[in-house]
Amino acid sequence: MLLTGLTIVAYGLRTIPLKEIGTNWFKQGIYVDKNDGPFLQNWSVDLVLSQINQARESAGFSKIKINTKLNQAALSRLSVIISEGDYEGSTTGLTRELATKNAGYDANLIGDLLLLDFFKTNDAIDYWVADQITKGTLFHPDFREVGIAVKNGQDKVSVYVILVAPRRVIPSPKKITWGGPELWRAVNDRRIEMGVNPLIQKNELCTIASIRLNQLLELGKLDGHEGFVPVLNRSDLKWISEKYNVSEFLAQGYATPKETIGAWENTLGHKVLLSGGEYVWGCVYAQNSYSVAIAAY
C-alpha cells in the first residue's frame, strides 16, 4: 500500500489542459457505490465521510461536508494515481490543486488522503492517524469541505480524499462618504438634544482643525493630541490660544457621524464637546473617518 503525503499549500496554479482527465475513467466504473460486492461489502462515499467525521468529532474538530465539485476533483486524481502511478501529479500535471481548480472550486488550503489496494476489513482511520502527516490532514481545523472517490475490488478498495478550506472572500471596506459638514451638524444636533447651545463656527478654529486633520491623515493614526499644542504655539496661530480657551476632540474609525458622536459621548473627557455649555465657538473637519473637532470659549 502506498500513502500520499500531505502538504498544505496556498492555491494558485495556472490551468493546464487536463480538465477531462478522469471523465472517461469514471464512466468505466472508477466510482462504485453499491452494496452487492461478491465477497465483502463495498465501501461508499457516505461510509468514508461518516468515518472521517466521527474521527474529527471525537478529536474535537468540526465535521466536514461533501462538495460535488470536489468529488469530481478526487475522481480525477484517483484515476491518474491508479492508471499512471502519478501520486503527486508530477507526471500528468494533474496535481490536487489543478484538479480542484478544473472542477471549478476556489480553495485556500488543500490536503489529501489516499488508500490504495487497501483491505476492506482494515480501518482507514487507524491507518491515517498512524502517520503524523496524514493525521495532520485528517484533523486540520481549517478544512470545511471534502471530495471523495472510491474504487471497489473484491476484497480491496482504493480511496482518494481531497480536503479543502474554501477561499475566504474578504469584503471591501465600506467607503466613507461623510465628512466635516455632516459631523458638524451631528455635533450641534446632539448639543441641542442635551440642552446646550449649538456651536458657532469660527474660521480661525477651522484653520486649526484643518491642520490637525492633515497631520493625522499623513500619520495614519491618532496621535493622542501630541500635535495639538505645537500647532497652537505656531507664531502665526498663537494669537488664537491667547484669545480663546481652545480644546481638541479626536476620533477615528467610525462608519458614520452618529457612531463618532456616540464614541465621544461615551468617552471620558470627550462628552463635554456635546454637553459643555461653556463652549461657544467651534469647527469640525473630517475625512476617511478621521475626525477633528475644535471647540472654544
Side-chain angles (χ1 to χ4, degrees):
M1 293 182 289
L2 297 174
L3 172 65
T4 188
L6 164 72
T7 305
I8 307 290
V9 296
Y11 175 69
L13 299 179
R14 299 177 181 175
T15 301
I16 301 174
L18 293 170
K19 194 169 184 178
E20 301 303 320
I21 287 184
T23 301
N24 293 332
W25 190 66
F26 171 74
K27 293 177 179 178
Q28 297 170 3
I30 174 64
Y31 176 70
V32 180
D33 187 5
K34 55 185 180 179
N35 296 319
D36 56 355
F39 297 104
L40 295 172
Q41 181 178 354
N42 282 342
W43 287 23
S44 68
V45 168
D46 288 341
L47 174 65
V48 175
L49 177 64
S50 176
Q51 292 176 344
I52 289 174
N53 277 334
Q54 286 177 13
R56 285 179 62 89
E57 281 196 305
S58 296
F61 298 99
S62 62
K63 287 184 177 182
I64 52 180
K65 63 181 181 179
I66 284 287
N67 182 286
T68 55
K69 292 180 178 180
L70 294 176
N71 278 351
Q72 183 62 41
L75 176 64
S76 299
R77 285 288 296 131
L78 185 56
S79 70
V80 298
I81 290 172
I82 292 177
S83 62
E84 304 294 335
D86 191 8
Y87 299 99
E88 302 296 334
S90 56
T91 302
T92 63
L94 190 65
T95 62
R96 65 192 179 194
E97 290 78 29
L98 183 58
T100 302
K101 183 176 181 179
N102 283 348
Y105 191 99
D106 192 13
N108 186 41
L109 299 177
I110 303 176
D112 57 1
L113 300 167
L114 175 67
L115 300 173
L116 195 61
D117 289 333
F118 190 78
F119 282 105
K120 295 178 181 178
T121 53
N122 290 338
D123 189 300
I125 302 302
D126 286 347
Y127 180 72
W128 285 325
V129 299
D131 180 89
Q132 289 302 310
I133 294 177
T134 50
K135 180 180 179 180
T137 302
L138 182 65
F139 296 138
H140 197 287
D142 291 343
F143 289 146
R144 292 292 181 269
E145 294 188 302
V146 64
I148 301 172
V150 180
K151 180 176 174 59
N152 282 289
Q154 289 187 346
D155 56 353
K156 294 182 179 179
V157 64
S158 294
V159 177
Y160 186 84
V161 180
I162 188 164
L163 306 99
V164 305
R167 188 172 297 281
R168 295 180 177 89
V169 178
I170 301 175
S172 299
K174 292 183 179 179
K175 186 177 180 180
I176 302 297
T177 58
W178 57 273
E182 293 84 1
L183 185 56
W184 173 252
R185 287 194 295 270
V187 167
N188 275 334
D189 287 347
R190 187 59 180 144
R191 285 179 62 86
I192 292 171
E193 290 173 355
M194 298 188 78
V196 297
N197 57 290
L199 299 175
I200 301 170
Q201 185 167 297
K202 279 280 187 182
N203 289 337
E204 50 264 49
L205 300 182
C206 289
T207 299
I208 297 173
S210 175
I211 293 171
R212 289 290 290 136
L213 177 62
N214 287 331
Q215 288 178 342
L216 298 178
L217 290 172
E218 184 176 350
L219 184 63
K221 62 180 181 179
L222 300 183
D223 66 357
H225 305 286
E226 289 184 3
F228 181 49
V229 172
V231 170
L232 292 181
N233 288 335
R234 278 176 36 169
S235 59
D236 58 332
L237 300 176
K238 193 171 183 180
W239 68 271
I240 299 175
S241 60
E242 291 175 346
K243 183 176 181 179
Y244 305 104
N245 291 310
V246 185
S247 300
E248 176 183 70
F249 305 87
L250 305 178
Q252 187 267 327
Y254 299 98
T256 64
K258 184 176 180 180
E259 290 183 14
T260 305
I261 294 298
W264 277 331
E265 187 171 342
N266 291 286
T267 304
L268 185 64
H270 291 75
K271 185 176 181 179
V272 66
L273 171 65
L274 308 171
S275 62
E278 68 272 23
Y279 288 112
V280 179
W281 301 285
C283 188
V284 171
Y285 267 60
Q287 182 179 329
N288 296 337
S289 86
Y290 285 86
S291 304
V292 179
I294 303 295
Y297 58 90

